[in-house]
Amino acid sequence: MGFVRLLPRSSSRARDAAAEAELEAELEAAVDLEVDMSEIDAGDAIGMPALDNLPVVEELPAVVSTPVASAPVVIPQAPAPGATGTRVIALANQKGGVAKTTTTLNLGVAFKEMGYRVLLVDLDPQGNLTMSQGLNPDTIETSMFDVLVRKIPISDVIEKREVDLAVASIDLAGAELALAALIGRERSLEKALFEVRDRYDFILIDTPPSLGLLTINAFVAATGVIVPVQCEYLALRGLVQLENTLAMVRENLNPRVGVEGIVPTMYDARTLHAREAVEILEENFGDLVYKTRIRKTVRYAEAPVKGSSVLGYDPTGTAAEAYRDLAKEVLHGAEAREHA
């Protein structure tokens, strides 16, 4: 049963009549309010100035889109050796017995004869550079090991000899293992040299016969690399691996490092093999090969026994003159560059 049926019929009819009367009254009121909108100004209708009285803008100024010039992309260039002052040169070759230590010492002394301030750094655990200046690596208390691992100032391990020398000891043999656990281990030598870098014109680093962490430290700290190469076929093959290591260092750690030059050592002009080895070097590496040939002579073996360079031991001999010539080439030679 619906709710309407619960109401009396008379009450329902009265309600309908009242609703109809109310609706008719509302309609009449609405008709009385009708206005002719055409007679009313549009501006008056909303309380604003008439649209006809507003100034007419015939044409909007054109919006000129001026392209913003993008800033040029500047690619940092690797500085040439010596461009920033001190030249840090690593003498490296993973093959042993190629005269790295001999070249480091005698080239450094030749630079000093020319009036330059020189520091030699013995980074070889064998300590041959240290011994070549009359020092015993077995009795040295603080050495490059302490500089790299214990972070003592490098000035504490510099000895005054023919040239200033940062000495090595047998402890350096454990440096690679000790450095392996350190953060930023590849930059340990670079950071150590900051203290004394401004005091020298040349810093020459004698590296071990390997491409391990000590040699990597030398490459990261260096502005260039000189590669002594024995004039034999097997010695030439190692150059490819050395250049591959340098390429990785350039990509990840030191973009400016490159091979400054290649020094043919232990050259014996009497043998065809030595002459052919030099020809192979020049064919593959061109101007990177220095013109100076470090010839075989007993003087290079005799000088370290006296705790001296060959320039100090036999200053007027051909062996000493060879390193003076090499010093001039390094000083005025081509700037370091990557060999493809």
Side-chain angles (χ1 to χ4, degrees), residues 92-100 207-211 227-239 241-242 266:
N93 191 328
Q94 69 268 33
K95 187 180 185 304
V98 297
K100 285 194 306 292
T207 62
S210 69
L211 296 177
V227 187
V229 178
Q230 187 179 0
C231 296
E232 293 182 2
Y233 173 71
L234 292 179
L236 305 182
R237 294 179 60 86
L239 284 174
Q241 186 178 1
L242 176 65
M266 302 182 183

Side-chain angles (χ1 to χ4, degrees), residues 6 23 63 68 86 93-94 105 108 112 123 128 135 167 191 219 238 244 272 289 292 321:
L6 293 175
L23 179 59
V63 178
V68 179
T86 304
N93 191 328
Q94 69 268 33
L105 175 59
K112 185 175 181 181
L123 215 58
N128 289 338
L135 298 168
V167 299
K191 294 175 181 177
F219 290 165
N244 289 339
L272 176 62
V289 182
T292 303
E321 287 301 323

Side-chain angles (χ1 to χ4, degrees), residues 214-267:
L214 289 175
T215 302
I216 297 298
N217 262 268
F219 290 165
V220 172
T223 57
V225 177
I226 291 178
V227 187
V229 178
Q230 187 179 0
C231 296
E232 293 182 2
Y233 173 71
L234 292 179
L236 305 182
R237 294 179 60 86
L239 284 174
V240 176
Q241 186 178 1
L242 176 65
E243 178 57 27
N244 289 339
T245 302
L246 274 174
M248 289 188 291
V249 171
R250 275 194 297 272
E251 182 178 352
N252 299 290
L253 296 166
N254 181 6
R256 65 185 175 175
V257 70
V259 175
E260 284 200 30
I262 298 171
V263 185
T265 62
M266 302 182 183
Y267 179 71

